[in-house]
């Protein structure tokens, strides 16, 4: 029988444990999905996830998700789901803390690849 943690995940504590931006940290697993915490500032790369939706939940700060037909602004306590196949570019003028919900193995840069691609590490 597999054991499981007997305590909740403290999101604020997980976010306070790192400063690196655009480098997701895996904080939980749900079936075949990962919950990742990340800090973002500046503009990321335009990319698409062809096989999965991507959910952004803002913990603090304000995230702008740039889409080809307009921007979506997401504040603390709000979430936005980018549908699969939709090109997007996350951006933040000031540092923002987020949670991402996506299938295990999903690359943060989607189809764009490149130097900003990061494998999530456990937080």
């Amino acid at each position: 029988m597999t054991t499981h943690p007997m305590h909740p995940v403290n999101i604020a504590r997980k976010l306070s444990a790192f400063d690196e931006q655009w480098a997701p940290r895996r904080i939980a697993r749900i079936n075949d999905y990962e919950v990742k915490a990340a800090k973002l500032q500046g503009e990321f790369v335009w990319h698409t996830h062809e096989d999965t939706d991507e959910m952004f939940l803002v913990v603090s700060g304000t995230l702008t998700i740039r889409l080809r037909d307009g921007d979506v602004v997401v504040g603390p306590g709000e979430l936005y789901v980018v549908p699969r196949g939709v090109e997007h570019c996350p951006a933040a003028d000031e540092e923002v803390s987020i949670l991402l919900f996506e299938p295990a193995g999903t690359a943060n840069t989607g189809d764009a690849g490149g130097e900003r691609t990061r494998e999530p590490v456990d937080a």
Side-chain angles (χ1 to χ4, degrees):
M1 181 171 171
T2 303
T3 61
H4 59 278
M6 297 299 291
H7 54 82
V9 174
N10 184 303
I11 296 167
R13 188 175 305 133
K14 294 289 187 181
L15 284 163
S16 70
F18 67 93
D19 293 318
E20 187 179 6
Q21 296 177 339
W22 304 105
R25 303 296 199 273
R26 187 175 28 248
I27 64 171
R29 294 173 195 256
I30 304 166
N31 298 318
D32 297 333
Y33 277 72
E34 295 176 332
V35 179
K36 302 171 191 171
K39 294 180 178 179
L40 318 176
Q41 187 172 2
E43 185 171 285
F44 200 48
V45 296
W46 282 94
H47 65 283
T48 303
H49 301 280
E50 291 297 335
D51 299 324
T52 186
D53 300 336
E54 184 174 28
M55 187 181 113
F56 294 86
L57 172 64
V58 175
V59 176
S60 66
T62 301
L63 177 66
T64 300
I65 300 174
R66 296 200 169 114
L67 305 170
R68 292 298 183 188
D69 57 355
D71 294 347
V72 177
V73 178
V74 189
E78 297 180 326
L79 66 85
Y80 183 76
V81 177
V82 177
R84 72 184 72 211
V86 173
E87 191 175 24
H88 60 286
C89 178
D93 291 334
E94 303 292 328
E95 186 173 79
V96 60
S97 294
I98 65 167
L99 297 181
L100 295 162
F101 295 78
E102 52 197 11
T106 300
N108 65 324
T109 53
D111 65 340
E115 65 184 35
R116 295 190 91 173
T117 302
R118 298 281 185 278
E119 286 291 322
V121 296
D122 290 328

